[in-house]
Amino acid sequence: MSTMTSAWKQHRSRTRTTPRTWPLRDRLALTAALAGPFLAALALVPFRTGLSHTNAALVLVVVIVAVATLGSRTAGVLAALSAAAWFDFFLTRPYETFDITASADIETAALLLVVGVIVSQLAARARRLEVITVTDAAYLSRIHRTAELAHSSGSANTVVDHVRRELTDLLGLRACRFEYGTLLGQPPRLHNDGGVTAGRRSWDVDTAGWPEGDIELRAYGNGHYLGRFMLTPGPGPVPPLQARLVAVTLADQAGSALDTAGPVGTG
């Protein structure tokens, strides 16, 4: 008994005196989350008078994605906050202050933060799947355009229609419609991880192509199901996983707009 008590005391002593440490990769990512956006914004200073704020924001979003790929969701969110702050400090008038006088600059800074958080979560999701993350400028531009529209438009219908068009172009669809609040039948489904199921079984879309019939992509707002995009595949090749992950993100943005503005009719 005394031997067990002594061993327990030694274990407790080691537990109390051993500090919790972050993995090296996470520590590097957190450092990069603070320093990366600062250095990127500083590098853009000589070009700030001729560089549009949208392009500057996209550069910073790429940095956020790189940080999220290296580290975790926490690092990605921290990088988004850092990017928004240094965008304000270095790239908006009055320069070298945290004051913004123009409403357009305020909107751009807010959108940078929102898009940065969204894309960092997408990058973290892709990292968990051990795939290439979304860094293509065209993909980032789609997400940015949708976030900007959701921010400026008072109509959920407008956002949903925009996402329908984006999905059609992004995925090479023949057609795309939106169904509000219906879950009829069991069509093939495009999931949050970019994978596809047909019925209850997984479908190897990269090898076998799209399954027959329309494919549903559900839209959620604040964790609640609000509707679905019904995708009619076109004759071309199946888009890569990157594009399918972007499609899921666009559907999430439509779901957020629906959750804020209320129901819309079918498209």
Side-chain angles (χ1 to χ4, degrees):
M1 185 68 174
S2 61
T3 302
M4 292 178 62
T5 302
S6 176
W8 172 250
K9 288 180 178 179
Q10 291 176 7
H11 169 73
R12 291 286 292 175
S13 176
R14 286 195 300 270
T15 302
R16 286 194 299 266
T17 57
T18 301
R20 180 185 176 184
T21 58
W22 289 80
L24 177 60
R25 179 168 180 156
D26 287 344
R27 281 181 284 159
L28 289 174
L30 291 173
T31 301
L34 294 173
F38 169 78
L39 294 175
L42 187 62
L44 293 174
V45 167
F47 314 101
R48 62 190 175 189
T49 57
L51 184 67
S52 73
H53 285 170
T54 298
N55 289 336
L58 286 175
V59 171
L60 292 174
V61 169
V62 172
V63 176
I64 295 168
V65 172
V67 170
T69 305
L70 173 66
S72 61
R73 292 176 183 271
T74 301
V77 171
L78 183 60
L81 291 169
S82 177
W86 296 122
F87 173 82
D88 172 12
F89 188 82
F90 285 117
L91 304 176
T92 64
R93 289 186 172 90
Y95 297 130
E96 280 79 54
T97 72
F98 287 107
D99 296 326
I100 303 181
T101 56
S103 59
D105 292 342
I106 295 174
E107 291 181 1
T108 302
L111 284 170
L112 172 61
L113 178 59
V114 171
V115 173
V117 171
I118 291 172
V119 174
S120 71
Q121 305 312 295
L122 183 62
R125 177 191 297 167
R127 179 192 165 198
R128 290 201 310 271
L129 296 171
E130 297 182 355
V131 300
I132 301 174
T133 57
V134 177
T135 57
D136 186 276
Y139 291 158
L140 294 175
S141 181
R142 291 181 190 276
I143 296 171
H144 183 272
R145 284 198 304 267
T146 305
E148 187 172 21
L149 180 64
H151 178 78
S152 61
S153 174
S155 169
N157 249 328
T158 301
V159 178
V160 169
D161 286 342
H162 169 80
V163 170
R164 274 200 305 116
R165 292 191 296 270
E166 289 284 349
L167 292 175
T168 300
D169 183 55
L170 174 67
L171 301 178
L173 303 176
R174 182 178 291 111
C176 178
R177 68 183 187 276
F178 184 78
E179 297 179 349
Y180 178 81
T182 57
L183 274 175
L184 300 177
Q186 290 185 324
R189 180 181 172 191
L190 176 59
H191 292 269
N192 287 344
D193 61 1
V196 174
T197 56
R200 294 187 177 182
R201 60 191 179 90
S202 177
W203 183 273
D204 188 354
V205 66
D206 294 306
T207 301
W210 292 114
E212 291 293 327
D214 290 345
I215 298 158
E216 71 172 9
L217 172 58
R218 298 182 181 182
Y220 293 89
N222 198 25
H224 303 294
Y225 169 76
L226 295 169
R228 62 184 179 181
F229 292 93
M230 298 302 295
L231 318 175
T232 304
V238 173
L241 180 58
Q242 279 186 308
R244 302 198 302 267
L245 288 172
V246 172
V248 171
T249 301
L250 294 175
D252 286 344
Q253 290 177 298
S256 296
L258 288 169
D259 184 59
T260 301
V264 300
T266 55

